[in-house]
Amino acid sequence: MSFVPTIVEMTDMFSRAAAPAFFLGAVAAFISLLTARLGTVVARARLLNAIPEGSEKAHMRDDVPRLKTRARLLRNGILLSLGSGLCAGLLLGVVFATGFFGLRYSYGAGIFSSWQPCSSAERSFGLLRT
């Protein structure tokens, strides 16, 4: 067994790593979107909390608990997205490490690949509740 992979082995590694790499990019874009939404929710909550009690717009402060719930759901979505991105990154590491050492990675890839759709589904259902 040669320590340096051949061109064919490296090509095979790169072709297996394409899907997790694109998924990792999609997760990064989704986290960016969730972070922007969370910033908007926090800014709106701060604006509503700044309204004085005796003002004629004081009834708008009733919206703050709903904004807190939305912020909690967005935070949970960000955390699940980070977990999904971590699994995608670990899957990329497993693909390259096993390809470099000439091992089979199918068992580890199955574990990481099964977590990613579950985490994505949980994020989607959480966002539907808002």
Side-chain angles (χ1 to χ4, degrees):
M1 179 178 149
S2 173
F3 188 68
V4 179
T6 65
I7 297 294
V8 173
E9 291 170 338
M10 292 204 43
T11 305
D12 189 41
M13 278 191 292
F14 285 124
S15 67
R16 283 184 282 179
F22 281 113
F23 183 77
L24 191 58
V27 167
F30 191 68
I31 290 173
S32 174
L33 173 81
L34 290 178
T35 304
R37 283 189 172 195
L38 183 61
T40 304
V41 168
V42 168
R44 175 80 175 154
R46 285 182 181 161
L47 181 71
L48 292 178
N49 281 330
I51 296 174
E53 286 291 327
S55 174
E56 60 186 40
K57 294 183 180 182
H59 68 280
M60 294 175 68
R61 295 181 74 170
D62 296 338
D63 200 28
V64 172
R66 186 179 63 84
L67 289 173
K68 284 183 180 180
T69 302
R70 182 174 284 181
R72 182 181 48 82
L73 290 172
L74 286 169
R75 181 187 57 101
N76 290 344
I78 290 170
L79 291 176
L80 288 170
S81 296
L82 288 173
S84 183
L86 181 66
C87 284
L90 288 173
L91 181 60
L92 281 171
V94 165
V95 165
F96 283 113
T98 56
F100 187 73
F101 293 115
L103 304 171
R104 294 187 52 85
Y105 76 98
S106 57
Y107 299 113
I111 292 170
F112 291 129
S113 295
S114 64
W115 163 256
Q116 292 170 353
C118 294
S119 179
S120 298
E122 176 61 30
R123 286 191 315 257
S124 299
F125 289 130
L127 288 177
L128 287 176
R129 288 188 275 174
T130 59

